[in-house]
Amino acid sequence: MRERQFVADLVSDQKLPRMFRAKQKFLRNSIEVEKIPNIIEHLLSDEKFSSQIKPGMRIAITAGSRGIANVALTTKCIADFVKKKGAKPFIVPAMGSHGGATAEGQREILEGYGITEAYTGCPIVSSMEVKKIGLTEDGREVFIDKHAAEADGIILGCRIKPHTAFRGPYESGMMKMMAIGLGKQHGAEVCHEAGFKNMAKNVPMFGKAIIENAPILFAVPTIENAYDETWKITAVNADEIEEKEPELLKEAAANMPRILVDSCDVLVVDQIGKNFSGDGMDPNITGTFCTPYATGGIQSQKVCVLDLSPETHGNGIGLGYSSATTKRVFDKLDLASMYPNAITCTVLGGVRIPIIMESDKEAIQVCVKTCNEIDKSNARIVRIPNSLHIEHIMLSEAYYDEVRKNPDMEIESEPEDWGFDENGNLW
């Protein structure tokens, strides 16, 4: 107790600047939720897709571990179309080693997103068992989920967006859903073992081998706008994936949000979690990249993480790229959930534990106090709720004039002191 108080005393005199609320303005073009069933019905009614689904076929539909907008609804719509054609759909968790690399953990993630058997009207077949289906062009064995491999057809449900650790024509999307998602723990490990330096080569290589050797029918990928809303839904036949995915990735990148100030002394992130990004906080927003093979996001000296999302179930991966966190976060960590993901992707930095402070206030104070060559009496602080929802953010008073002159930002409140309770935690 005395030691903790001593640590608190070291930062207690660090002044925190007043903060104001600002709205960031991005292009807002989204699909109305109630229109999604008709859109998917129309897309899949095209003879190119509908003719592939025959009565009595067992069709696997993939669903991943990301918090994708309307993911339960889009998955249900695909399943409904399959049933309408007289086939038998089932859902396969396609998320590599996520969910603690267990069948139960992966099912739990899907159910947390509303993808349940009751809602979708079809079974969820969750297993870590894989089956060898062929070889890559350079002779490596390719494995995918056993139940998907033995189905009569596979439909890929996924989202397309920039990856958090590498750059290439195929990042997070259809190729990755096959190579790493359907590959389960085994396939993800094989694909990652050469490191992210080679991921831009390995993802399409394994993906193409799966298209050639597994019963992939087509994909129904979505792209989101800057507000975490469904912007586009399309259907891509198996033999078109290699050609069409790079252009869809460009569209996704163009719709990504960003923090509209380029740098800060301290970035405060209220929550991280797997539902926001595979890295807990998307480095395309926060700049907290785990490898040198991707860049972007805001530049900061220190990053402070205050909490984990309930949906991440204790998986605090990404915490290792922060400078300080709270005792609350530490107490919630489920290391058994975090470590398989880090070991599989061969990057351990995300599961390191940063300095732990008792309260939100102390965690922010220690970040400001340990910055170099800044005005600590008027620190430049940016606070975001998470890396997925950044329409409304908080900035310190030092940004006020800059934001006032920015046509893409709107000041929503005047600067005021932080709202800490008696324990030093934010209200």
Side-chain angles (χ1 to χ4, degrees):
M1 184 70 177
R2 185 165 54 190
E3 290 81 4
R4 288 205 303 269
Q5 186 57 51
F6 176 72
V7 173
D9 289 344
L10 288 175
V11 301
S12 62
D13 64 343
Q14 178 56 60
K15 176 186 175 183
L16 295 181
R18 297 193 300 171
M19 304 288 287
F20 67 95
R21 183 179 174 90
K23 179 179 180 179
Q24 302 199 114
K25 302 174 186 178
F26 307 106
L27 180 64
R28 190 158 208 160
N29 44 1
S30 62
I31 296 172
E32 295 176 20
V33 175
E34 57 269 22
K35 293 182 178 179
I36 289 176
N38 287 336
I39 289 171
I40 292 178
E41 168 83 15
H42 175 72
L43 285 169
L44 300 189
S45 293
D46 187 305
E47 180 70 13
K48 176 169 59 177
F49 306 113
S50 64
S51 63
Q52 298 184 64
I53 304 173
K54 309 293 185 185
M57 290 176 69
R58 293 184 67 253
I59 305 293
I61 302 168
T62 68
S65 59
R66 303 294 186 258
I68 302 171
N70 303 306
V71 66
L73 177 59
T74 56
T75 305
K76 171 179 166 55
C77 290
I78 297 168
D80 287 347
F81 186 84
V82 170
K83 287 190 287 185
K84 181 180 175 181
K85 295 291 293 181
K88 301 174 182 178
F90 64 96
I91 295 166
V92 171
M95 55 184 77
S97 64
H98 296 177
T102 67
E104 297 78 13
Q106 297 199 346
R107 173 187 283 271
E108 185 177 306
I109 287 175
L110 294 190
E111 291 177 346
Y113 294 143
I115 303 174
T116 63
E117 295 187 355
Y119 177 72
T120 60
C122 67
I124 296 173
V125 181
S126 185
S127 167
M128 299 306 293
E129 192 174 0
V130 292
K131 181 176 182 178
K132 178 184 172 182
I133 60 166
L135 301 173
T136 61
E137 62 185 38
D138 63 356
R140 283 179 285 176
E141 295 181 328
V142 180
F143 292 81
I144 67 168
D145 179 276
K146 180 177 184 292
H147 298 281
E150 294 176 353
D152 298 307
I154 300 170
I155 299 173
L156 305 172
C158 62
R159 175 183 61 189
I160 295 175
K161 71 181 291 288
H163 198 270
T164 59
F166 72 94
R167 293 287 177 258
Y170 308 92
E171 295 183 21
S172 288
M174 296 176 281
M175 286 290 194
K176 180 171 176 282
M177 175 59 85
M178 292 183 288
I180 295 175
L182 270 176
K184 312 298 278 194
Q185 163 70 23
H186 180 91
E189 188 170 32
V190 170
C191 206
H192 281 94
E193 66 181 359
F196 281 104
K197 178 181 179 181
N198 295 293
M199 194 63 74
K201 176 184 71 175
N202 283 332
V203 163
M205 185 184 297
F206 277 85
K208 284 187 282 186
I210 291 169
I211 291 172
E212 292 169 4
N213 295 285
I216 304 293
L217 302 181
F218 51 84
V220 185
T222 65
I223 296 175
E224 295 177 2
N225 64 15
Y227 297 92
D228 184 36
E229 299 166 338
T230 306
W231 169 67
K232 182 174 186 174
I233 305 173
T234 189
V236 182
N237 207 43
D239 61 3
E240 301 173 319
I241 290 175
E242 183 179 0
E243 175 191 354
K244 291 190 174 182
E245 182 164 341
E247 288 305 312
L248 291 170
L249 177 60
K250 290 177 183 177
E251 292 183 47
N255 279 275
M256 281 279 290
R258 67 182 183 89
I259 298 171
L260 296 176
V261 296
D262 294 331
S263 64
C264 62
D265 301 324
V266 177
L267 174 65
V268 178
V269 184
D270 287 357
Q271 288 188 338
I272 65 171
K274 296 292 285 188
N275 53 312
F276 304 129
S277 169
D279 283 25
M281 48 183 167
D282 189 339
N284 293 297
I285 306 299
T286 62
T288 51
F289 288 93
C290 64
T291 76
Y293 310 113
T295 58
I298 191 170
Q299 294 183 346
S300 62
Q301 270 203 50
K302 297 290 192 295
V303 177
C304 181
V305 169
L306 302 182
D307 208 347
L308 301 184
S309 68
E311 295 87 351
T312 202
H313 302 290
N315 189 333
I317 197 163
L319 184 64
Y321 300 111
S322 67
S323 314
T325 192
T326 62
K327 180 69 161 46
R328 176 175 61 251
V329 168
F330 180 76
D331 289 341
K332 291 180 179 180
L333 293 178
D334 179 359
L335 302 183
S337 177
M338 294 165 64
Y339 288 174
N341 197 184
I343 292 168
T344 300
C345 76
T346 74
V347 178
L348 304 182
V351 295
R352 291 174 181 152
I353 308 298
I355 190 170
I356 301 163
M357 303 300 286
E358 284 293 314
S359 66
D360 295 340
K361 184 178 182 180
E362 290 177 10
I364 299 164
Q365 285 177 313
V366 77
C367 284
V368 175
K369 191 174 184 69
T370 56
C371 279
N372 303 124
E373 299 182 306
I374 71 164
D375 180 358
K376 293 182 182 177
S377 66
N378 191 28
R380 295 161 68 249
I381 298 178
V382 174
R383 179 185 170 197
I384 61 175
N386 54 68
S387 65
L388 196 58
H389 305 105
I390 57 171
E391 178 183 7
H392 302 280
I393 65 174
M394 301 291 293
L395 299 107
S396 62
E397 202 165 9
Y399 289 103
Y400 194 85
D401 286 341
E402 177 184 342
V403 171
R404 184 169 54 83
K405 297 173 184 176
N406 189 332
D408 294 323
M409 301 184 80
E410 176 184 325
I411 292 173
E412 295 186 305
S413 72
E414 292 303 305
E416 59 184 12
D417 291 332
W418 295 73
F420 296 112
D421 64 19
E422 61 182 8
N423 295 315
N425 293 317
L426 288 161
W427 294 328

